[in-house]
Amino acid sequence: MSGRDVRDAAVARLREQVATLHGELVRYNLVAWTAGNVSARVPGRDLLVIKPSGVSYDDLSPDTMVVCDLDGVVVDGDLSPSSDTAAHAYVYRAMPEVGGVVHTHSGYATAWAACGEAIPCHLTAQADEFGGEIPVGPFALIGGDDIGKGIVATLSGHRSPAVLMRNHGVFTIGRDARAAVKAAVMCEDVARTMYLARTLGRPVPIAAEHVDSLHDRYQNVYGQSGAPVGTA
């Protein structure tokens, strides 16, 4: 693969976008130290752009982003890619509709993951974004593509763009990296609210038909025509 193939304007734009989106993880308190990562698929090519491993968020820039193929092999970049690259790459290979993947250890959502418990749907905002419960995926060790396999197995055919990987943390997917970051933000917000609701008493469930209606409205009607879905 030539240098021109991985250093053209499309890849440069994604390097900038992915670097900027990592700032959103910090802004919304979804990460600590150097944990967490965002990646984006390069449209029309078997490439992804991802954060380097173990680099401070303060030191991230478009130039530090790493370009890999969809086997997780580095094709451009001076730094080693995220330790979760194999998981991201597996998701992109298995789910061609996915354009962005995010991983965080955000506190409330990861607490649910530590308990191995899905987040049941008791909130309209959760019905909007996730279409029901936020599911739990299997335990898998970091470094290979087992995490990716667990993400795909859990989310395939599921309306949720987020999965709580047991004893680990949150992975989200989206049509692009921005949508995956938004899902990570909303996942933590829902996890926190549901934790508080559990401490107060017994949360009241939403009927399945109302969950369906809310999800359909939010995904297909809410917001400005032609604009990405925002928040309520």
Side-chain angles (χ1 to χ4, degrees):
M1 188 172 293
S2 72
R4 186 173 64 83
D5 288 331
V6 296
R7 296 187 181 181
D8 62 12
V11 175
R13 284 193 297 270
L14 276 184
R15 282 180 181 268
E16 182 173 4
Q17 181 191 54
V18 171
T20 299
L21 285 171
H22 280 93
E24 296 297 287
L25 303 187
V26 176
R27 176 186 176 192
Y28 286 99
N29 297 313
L30 303 184
V31 293
W33 202 239
T34 62
N37 40 71
V38 178
S39 74
R41 183 200 296 267
V42 180
R45 281 182 278 179
D46 292 336
L47 296 172
L48 64 92
V49 177
I50 196 166
K51 170 183 175 287
S53 177
V55 175
S56 168
Y57 280 81
D58 291 337
D59 295 329
L60 296 181
S61 69
D63 289 341
T64 62
M65 296 299 106
V66 185
V67 182
C68 298
D69 66 20
L70 294 193
D71 290 315
V73 177
V74 175
V75 297
D76 191 49
D78 298 325
L79 301 172
S80 298
S82 166
S83 59
D84 292 306
T85 298
H88 289 239
Y90 185 92
V91 172
Y92 291 127
R93 293 198 306 271
M95 305 179 82
E97 72 278 13
V98 171
V101 178
V102 171
H103 172 47
T104 79
H105 300 151
S106 59
Y108 285 91
T110 301
W112 288 83
C115 293
E117 185 175 355
I119 304 176
C121 190
H122 297 290
L123 301 167
T124 59
Q126 183 174 343
D128 287 345
E129 178 72 18
F130 302 98
E133 72 169 18
I134 299 174
V136 172
F139 175 78
L141 293 175
I142 301 167
D145 58 13
D146 285 349
I147 291 174
K149 291 176 180 177
I151 295 167
V152 171
T154 306
L155 293 185
S156 292
H158 204 293
R159 291 193 297 204
S160 174
V163 54
L164 311 175
M165 292 300 286
R166 185 167 63 83
N167 302 107
H168 186 172
V170 181
F171 282 84
T172 61
I173 59 175
R175 63 183 176 278
D176 55 29
R178 182 179 182 275
V181 169
K182 180 202 168 196
V185 172
M186 297 299 291
C187 181
E188 179 64 4
D189 183 64
V190 165
R192 176 180 178 275
T193 303
M194 283 305 303
Y195 167 81
L196 294 171
R198 282 274 186 93
T199 66
L200 290 172
R202 295 183 179 180
V204 178
I206 301 174
E209 63 268 25
H210 293 156
V211 172
D212 292 342
S213 177
L214 287 160
H215 185 67
D216 179 71
R217 176 203 67 91
Y218 188 69
Q219 299 298 322
N220 300 306
V221 178
Y222 175 85
Q224 303 303 309
S225 178
V229 174
T231 54

